[in-house]
Structure formats: C-alpha cells, structure tokens
Amino acid sequence: MDAMVGGDPDAKWLMQGWLFQDTGFWTPQAIEAYLGGVSNSDMIILDLYSDEYPIFSSTQSYFGKDFIWCMLHNFGGMRGIYGLLDHISTAPIETENNPSYTMIGTGITMEAIEQNPVVYTLMSEMAWRSKKFDTAEWLSHYVKRRYATPASSSPSLQHAWQLFHKSEYSQPWDGARKSFIESRPYLSMDAFKTPNITMFLQGWRMYLASQTELKNLNGPWMYDAVDLSRQVLSNFFVDVHALFTQAYTRSDYANALSLGDKLTEIIDYAERLLASNPNFLLGNWIEDAKSWAKNDNERSIYEFNARNQITLWGPTGQINDYASKAWSGLYATYYKRRWSFFIDTVLNAIQENKQFDTDTYDRNILTIEQLWGEQRLPFPTTPTDDTLSIISSIEQSFATSTSVYKVLSDTDAPGNDITQAWTRDLQQLQILCDLDTTCAGFNSNGWIKNTISTTVQSSSTLYIKVKSI
C-alpha cells in the first residue's frame, strides 16, 4: 500500500469479491482475517454478483470496507431471455439507503453485453436513482422509447412487455441460461426450467400482433422479434426432446425418427430466423477476428481461435459450449450437425436393440466438433432471409394441429404418462401430442398420456385425441 500511495496519495485497492463465492473455504471468519490486512479506508470491493448471490450481506458489509453493488447477469455471452427487473430496480436503492451497509456505487460486471438490452438499460440508470420507483411504469416508458411509439398507439406492445416482465424478466440466470440447441446433445439434459414460458409465449404472440398497430417497425423492434422468436423455438425444442427421449426409452423407432426430424426442423427455423438480422450472424464474428491478421498464417490462427472460443473453448472441450452463441451459420453448420449425429446414433441404437453408448458417442462427437473448428469456410456478413416471413411460418407451425381433440372440463386421467411438457399452452400441447403417435391425449397441466382409460373429477381439463385430420 505504501508503494501505491507513493505514486498517488489517493490510491486505493480495488478488489473483486468473487473468490468469496466459495463459501466452503471462505467462512466469515476467514474473510474477515483476509481483509484485515488492509485498512477499511484503503480498499474498495466489487461485490461481483449482487443481483443473485451477494457477499456483502453475509459479511457485515465486508467488515466495514466500501463496496460496489454489481449486476453480473450473464456468463459467456450465452443468450437466453431472462433477468430480475424488479430486483435490480429496488435492491441497489435499498442497500444504499441501509445505514448498516457501506455501498458507494453500482457496477455492471457481465461477461457479455449483447443480450437482454432491457436489463442493461435499467441497470445503467441505477447509479442515478436514489428513490424507489415503479418498475412497471419504467418499463412502459422503456417500450415507448425503444420502439419510438406512444403507449396509446400500441396497446399490444405494452401488454406484451407486461407479460415478459411477469415471466422471463422475473427469473434469474439459472432459469434460461442456455438453449438445448446450443448444448452438446444427450438423452438426459438439464433444461433450467422456469414455470413462466407459457406466459412468455402469450407475450410473444401479443408482441407480433403489434405489427398492425405500428407505423414503422424500427431496428429495435426487428431485433427483439428475432430474439423473442428464437427463445420460443428454444423452449419448444425442450419438449420435443423429452418426447424423443421417451421414444428411445420404449425402443419406438418410428416415433423417434419423426421426433428427430422435428428437432432438426426447429433448428432450421432458428437458422433462417437468425440469418434475417445482422446482429445474429457468425460471419461478422469470424471476419472481425481475421481483420486483425497481417498475413494468411495469422488469419488462420485467429479464425481457429474465434471458432474454438464459441464451441469447445479448449483442445478437447475444456469448457465446452460455455460461450455458445445464437448465431446463423453456427446453427446450420455446427449445432445441427451435432444434433443430426446424435439423433442418428440414437436411432441406430434402437434398430440394433442396444443401449446408447455415451463413451463412444462422446469420442465421435468430439471429432465432429474439432473438425468444425479447423474449417475455413466463409459465412455471410449480411442478412439472407426475411424476418417477418420466417416468423409467420413459425407462428403457423404452432397453430396447425393435425388431430381433433375432445375436451373434458374438470377431468383428468391418472397415470399412463409419457412425459410432462414444459409448456402449458393448448396449441403447443396439441402439436406435441400430434408428433407422438402413441399420445392418446393430455391434460392442462402438461401431462402427455399414452392411454386414457379411467377418468376422475379434477381441477384440470382433459384433452382426448379423437382422430387425425
């Protein structure tokens, strides 16, 4: 400290508090002893993850040292619609106004910023706010500013964002941090599920309905339309994957084949969607990396590193998919290739009446991943599809059931479940039941059933597949 003060009398240590997340080692006593080596007036601590896992509140405000309330929010630039708007609009103010805390400012410590702009817009304002305010009212003004439209001219847009606020923007990072599409495929996968995706789907439909109310669909509206639609596809992909896994479990080759086709169809929809907007293109990432090179050898190295960081991030996947991206080009040539290989491997296991061999699969798919990283094929740097037309196709795919269902209110059929879907949306549940020929119906709680024999009185609604159209 003496050397620092010798160079600048006002010098202070600025320290990240991230290491203290290891609560097994860093007990309050250990933290106090460690921080005791520097006087309270000589150190400022970045409480790096205040938005979800604050340390200051369990350490007596770092035992008297000044700290900065930070929102981390994102890891690796992974794209999911999520954020705690109500929390980040209140917690910094409450902490600053609490005399037992030594907070001196706010910060943003994300690992990547090009996602969820509403979260970062709100958090950026918090350094200038000292009094409580209504988050819903703030959001209404945000919508007017972002889309350059008065609230009265687009009630659908305002309503949509109210639903987003209550659904995905009331959930933490763990709720939707990575799309299945962007993860190495397996039969069993952690979905980071949130109960709010049905409300989010309703908001998406309302958002798209605002097209008829707006005079101009500006850049932010188109950007959000792509991102919201991408999330809808990602959410639905989870439920189709669950049905695919169940088809494998019962050695049902025919249904596994058709469900596998549906999985790759969703990836194709997502690829076309992402290709329609300049903000979702792999080509820009790779060309930016290559632009720093002075010769062909450097260009090859820089492209390899650019590819590796968003995929394996290491020679053999040391932190595989940590920085996965929702980018056109990556979906078509990398993620779809992995999922197609996975689906084929599962189908072969069913045909040969064998168990899915995870060890062999891991070795083979690693080879596919490594080969992609070594390729040098160029990718588009300008959009190649029409956003509104592809979104219209996605809407239609969710609204076209190929079966007729008999509706029984206040009724359920216990047992005989294939799986419980994540969605509770009627149209999507019908599509899911259509996709699996063993599905006899479903209930409003998302339970998809292979047999409906005995019915009982219940608070749910039962939908029985009567015939296919």
Side-chain angles (χ1 to χ4, degrees), residues 222-392:
M222 298 297 283
Y223 174 95
D224 289 344
V226 170
D227 202 21
L228 295 167
S229 301
R230 175 209 56 77
Q231 186 68 53
V232 167
L233 289 172
S234 177
N235 292 345
F236 189 63
F237 192 89
V238 174
D239 282 333
V240 179
H241 172 266
L243 289 176
F244 177 81
T245 298
Q246 290 302 314
Y248 161 79
T249 301
R250 62 178 185 265
S251 298
D252 183 347
Y253 181 86
N255 274 298
L257 178 63
S258 62
L259 289 163
D261 288 344
K262 189 65 177 182
L263 290 172
T264 55
E265 178 188 291
I266 294 172
I267 297 175
D268 288 338
Y269 272 128
E271 165 64 24
R272 288 183 57 201
L273 176 71
L274 298 169
S276 72
N277 190 283
N279 297 284
F280 299 87
L281 304 179
L282 171 63
N284 291 327
W285 168 260
I286 291 180
E287 293 306 316
D288 283 349
K290 290 162 60 179
S291 69
W292 292 90
K294 297 178 181 178
N295 53 56
D296 289 342
N297 184 55
E298 284 189 357
R299 268 188 288 277
S300 179
I301 294 171
Y302 292 168
E303 178 169 356
F304 171 81
N305 285 330
R307 286 172 175 255
N308 186 263
Q309 195 228 345
I310 58 176
T311 54
L312 288 170
W313 203 333
T316 57
Q318 278 66 17
I319 44 176
N320 195 16
D321 294 321
Y322 180 83
S324 65
K325 297 293 185 288
W327 287 342
S328 167
L330 197 56
Y331 267 53
T333 66
Y334 188 74
Y335 298 138
K336 184 180 178 181
R337 177 72 182 91
R338 288 200 305 191
W339 276 95
S340 295
F341 177 75
F342 165 73
I343 291 165
D344 288 343
T345 304
V346 171
L347 292 173
N348 288 336
I350 296 174
Q351 278 188 316
E352 297 172 7
N353 195 28
K354 295 180 179 179
Q355 291 293 311
F356 181 81
D357 186 341
T358 303
D359 292 337
T360 301
Y361 166 76
D362 280 340
R363 289 193 298 271
N364 291 335
I365 202 167
L366 175 60
T367 299
I368 292 172
E369 294 164 338
Q370 290 171 325
L371 287 174
W372 186 88
E374 296 169 0
Q375 293 175 0
R376 296 294 175 267
L377 296 175
F379 292 94
T381 56
T382 56
T384 57
D385 214 321
D386 179 69
T387 298
L388 297 182
S389 64
I390 183 60
I391 289 178
S392 177

